[in-house]
């Protein structure tokens, strides 16, 4: 039965979502080192995931080498978006003067597919999609 395959409790959000935006907010609130702050959580994220998020923020220029917020990082903290999409919007609007195309691309990138799931569950997802289709070939 479907109910038997489901987890009794959903994983905490901190374990199932990207950490880049959270890391930026921790730095903007001056709560100390991101890794040590997140380690205090009831169910802390994997330290490798935290380090990957910090490295990505350094790569896009939101954090400096000492893990301090850059001016770009301060602006990205104010946007309720993934930092990569936020940087694209900021650069598209201010530097490249192409806000409308940047907004269109950001909207497409921010869309979350409701059928997104782990690779080992692909057959189950395909079966569920077929059950929604009924007699249609769509």
């Amino acid at each position: 039965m479907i109910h038997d395959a489901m987890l009794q409790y959903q994983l905490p959000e901190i374990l199932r979502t990207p950490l880049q935006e959270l890391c930026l907010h921790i730095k903007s609130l001056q709560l100390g080192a991101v890794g040590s702050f997140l380690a205090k959580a009831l169910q802390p994220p994997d330290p490798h995931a935290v380090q990957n998020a910090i490295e990505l923020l350094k790569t896009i220029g939101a954090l400096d080498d000492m893990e301090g917020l850059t001016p770009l990082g301060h602006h990205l903290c104010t946007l309720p978006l993934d930092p990569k999409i936020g940087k694209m919007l900021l650069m598209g609007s201010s530097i490249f003067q192409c806000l409308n195309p940047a907004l269109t691309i950001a909207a497409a990138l921010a869309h979350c597919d409701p059928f997104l799931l782990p690779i080992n569950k692909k057959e189950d997802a395909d079966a569920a999609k077929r059950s929604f289709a009924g007699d249609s070939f769509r």
Side-chain angles (χ1 to χ4, degrees):
M1 204 65 205
I2 294 175
H3 296 77
D4 297 332
M6 295 177 67
L7 296 173
Q8 186 174 4
Y9 300 102
Q10 187 175 14
L11 280 174
E13 186 173 1
I14 198 168
L15 298 178
R16 39 182 180 94
T17 59
L19 299 173
Q20 293 89 357
E21 193 173 355
L22 178 62
C23 292
L24 273 180
H25 288 293
I26 290 170
K27 293 309 281 184
S28 72
L29 294 171
Q30 299 175 351
L31 298 173
V34 175
S36 62
F37 182 80
L38 289 176
K40 297 174 188 174
L42 290 175
Q43 291 183 329
D46 182 24
H48 294 295
V50 175
Q51 191 57 38
N52 287 342
I54 291 170
E55 289 302 318
L56 180 109
L57 291 171
K58 286 180 182 179
T59 301
I60 65 172
L63 294 178
D64 59 21
D65 291 335
M66 301 302 293
E67 294 184 17
L69 272 179
T70 63
L72 174 63
H74 284 286
H75 288 294
L76 292 176
C77 285
T78 63
L79 299 174
L81 295 169
D82 178 75
K84 294 181 291 189
I85 295 173
K87 181 178 178 179
M88 180 185 65
L89 285 177
L90 289 173
M91 300 301 253
S93 66
S94 61
I95 295 177
F96 298 115
Q97 302 294 314
C98 59
L99 179 60
N100 285 340
L103 285 171
T104 302
I105 294 168
L109 290 174
H111 170 73
C112 182
D113 185 1
F115 293 106
L116 188 67
L117 54 105
I119 293 174
N120 59 350
K121 301 278 186 177
K122 185 173 180 350
E123 294 81 20
D124 296 337
D126 290 340
K129 289 177 190 177
R130 282 192 298 278
S131 72
F132 289 134
D135 295 333
S136 173
F137 289 108
R138 292 182 182 182

